[in-house]
Amino acid sequence: MNNTSDYELTPERIWSEFDGAPGGTSLESMCGELFSQQLFNWQEFALAHMNMKGAWLREITSGPHTLLVQFNQGRTVSATAALDADTIRRRPCFLCEYHLPAAQKAVLYRKSFLILVNPYPIFSPHYTVVHVNHEPQALEGQIVSLLALAHDLGPAFTVFYNGPRCGASAPDHHHFQVCPSGVLPIEKDWEEGGRATLLADRDGVSLGVLRLLGRNALFMEGSVPETLEAFLKRLLGAMEEVVGSGEEPMLNLFCTKKEGRWRLLIFPRRKHRPDAYYREGKDSVLVTPGAVEMGGLLITIREDDFLKMTPTLAEEIYREVSLPPEVIEEIANHMK
Ligand SMILES: [Zn+2]
């Protein structure tokens, strides 16, 4: 993380700064203070947060599988954003520091990222961790930052990443997001056991598959950041070999650090939006799967979609946007 800002950050923007110095305030406390400050001093955010807290939420179950559905109109812009290269080039980047609203403050994180409250939250709290520079969303060069962030935030938080072609609404500006640990159904699925198959255990890193409704994920666990970084890079390489797109393989990822071990969950993807998104009339379903949806929390922006979501429909959407189990197995075999 030696890539500091290319330009002067507005000093008033910085609410506090985390540099990792021993004995300093924890990142969790700094983020908590930022969150309270923003609730008191940024009216639009307070309103968006209140609306989200009052959003309808329901549980849908199918056998051992449980999913959550949230009706959150605040996510409309993000869920329906046009993400073609032309549109992205023409619009002002909403993650660049000089475009943020004046009331929005940040925790400057290790001189490389701004931790912000997400102005259209899904969780309480929900942070966006934005690189200080306008550079494309890409994982490979930021794995060290991802692991450091999960370490610094501690077990109460989970960091997640949406690939530029599968969920990120700013594919042109690198960012992670953060949610509280334990709020997503997959976390329980993983803890429960019986769905995970260990495929390899080498150099202190375990790699395996987690079987979920309509989709499989790869998990990776280890306690040495350098080894995990190397494994994750190898995984990206193996995905690229198998899928061969020439770009960053499509994926969503979760990362948390608990009891000295980093735990990563990777959802290999093949499609951004399901066909149902583009259908008209009663067959249309406006769901844009990103990490949150792959994690078992489906965000709907229309009441109709909220009410009609069933495990069968969710399973169909998952199957369509995920890499099939046999391809994921092939990727895992490339890793052995
Ligand atoms: Zn930007």
Side-chain angles (χ1 to χ4, degrees):
M1 282 193 291
N2 49 2
N3 38 1
T4 49
S5 178
D6 285 345
Y7 68 96
E8 285 289 303
L9 293 164
T10 319
E12 299 77 50
R13 182 75 65 198
I14 310 305
W15 175 252
S16 57
E17 180 170 355
F18 180 88
D19 58 9
T25 310
S26 72
L27 186 58
E28 183 179 357
S29 301
M30 281 191 186
C31 291
E33 280 167 24
L34 174 78
F35 182 70
S36 307
Q37 193 278 351
Q38 295 283 262
L39 273 182
F40 279 111
N41 296 295
W42 183 14
Q43 207 179 349
E44 288 84 359
F45 169 65
L47 186 65
H49 181 262
M50 194 177 72
N51 287 340
M52 179 278 294
K53 291 286 277 183
W56 294 348
L57 185 72
R58 68 189 185 96
E59 202 178 270
I60 53 175
T61 52
S62 164
H65 305 285
T66 299
L67 301 171
L68 291 170
V69 194
Q70 186 189 75
F71 176 39
N72 185 339
Q73 284 173 303
R75 298 296 300 174
T76 305
V77 173
S78 179
T80 59
L83 294 168
D84 59 285
D86 241 26
T87 308
I88 294 294
R89 233 188 339 264
R90 281 201 306 262
R91 62 119 173 84
C93 174
F94 58 89
L95 293 184
C96 274
E97 193 265 323
Y98 47 87
H99 284 147
L100 297 175
Q104 184 152 36
K105 305 293 176 198
V107 174
L108 178 59
Y109 175 70
R110 294 187 181 272
K111 303 203 185 308
S112 303
F113 285 86
L114 295 175
I115 303 182
L116 307 164
V117 294
N118 190 312
Y120 309 108
I122 295 172
F123 311 99
S124 177
H126 182 176
Y127 300 105
T128 312
V129 183
V130 176
H131 199 275
V132 288
N133 295 327
H134 183 81
E135 55 179 64
Q137 180 78 325
L139 185 59
E140 188 152 2
Q142 297 294 349
I143 299 171
V144 175
S145 309
L146 168 76
L147 299 174
L149 189 59
H151 168 82
D152 291 333
L153 282 166
F157 291 98
T158 296
V159 184
F160 60 98
Y161 170 83
N162 285 320
R165 296 176 293 134
C166 45
S169 43
D172 54 340
H173 194 134
H174 182 73
H175 64 284
F176 295 111
Q177 295 181 68
V178 173
C179 67
S181 291
V183 294
L184 290 169
I186 41 151
E187 293 169 270
K188 288 187 197 82
D189 293 341
W190 196 359
E191 298 293 337
E192 253 170 35
R195 297 169 199 232
T197 309
L198 185 68
L199 299 172
D201 202 341
R202 216 176 48 210
D203 306 328
V205 177
S206 13
L207 173 78
V209 174
L210 191 66
R211 284 176 306 279
L212 301 157
L213 182 73
R215 67 220 192 277
N216 282 2
L218 286 163
F219 67 83
M220 208 181 263
E221 271 191 67
S223 55
V224 182
E226 292 77 15
T227 325
L228 276 168
E229 186 198 6
F231 259 74
L232 196 49
K233 282 187 174 167
R234 275 181 55 208
L235 176 65
L236 291 173
M239 284 176 75
E240 173 54 24
E241 270 172 48
V242 173
V243 184
S245 66
E247 294 172 73
E248 176 175 300
M250 293 175 80
L251 62 90
N252 304 109
L253 176 151
F254 292 93
C255 178
T256 189
K257 194 181 178 203
K258 216 168 135 177
E259 291 155 10
R261 281 171 80 79
W262 279 269
R263 295 160 58 104
L264 288 98
L265 204 54
I266 300 115
F267 287 90
R269 299 276 303 268
R270 60 172 159 183
K271 212 168 178 184
H272 178 212
R273 286 173 169 140
D275 286 347
Y277 180 93
Y278 302 99
R279 283 188 204 126
E280 291 190 354
K282 64 172 180 43
D283 294 331
S284 134
V285 187
L286 286 189
V287 169
T288 296
V292 172
E293 285 74 11
M294 301 311 285
L297 170 59
L298 295 150
I299 308 299
T300 55
I301 54 171
R302 297 186 304 198
E303 184 179 340
D304 184 39
D305 296 331
F306 172 77
L307 295 173
K308 78 178 171 205
M309 187 56 69
T310 59
T312 313
L313 180 55
E315 187 175 358
E316 229 172 78
I317 293 173
Y318 283 141
R319 267 192 217 295
E320 203 183 330
V321 301
S322 307
L323 272 190
E326 62 275 16
V327 180
I328 294 181
E329 207 166 296
E330 202 185 328
I331 291 166
N333 284 333
H334 271 65
M335 295 281 295
K336 282 181 189 169

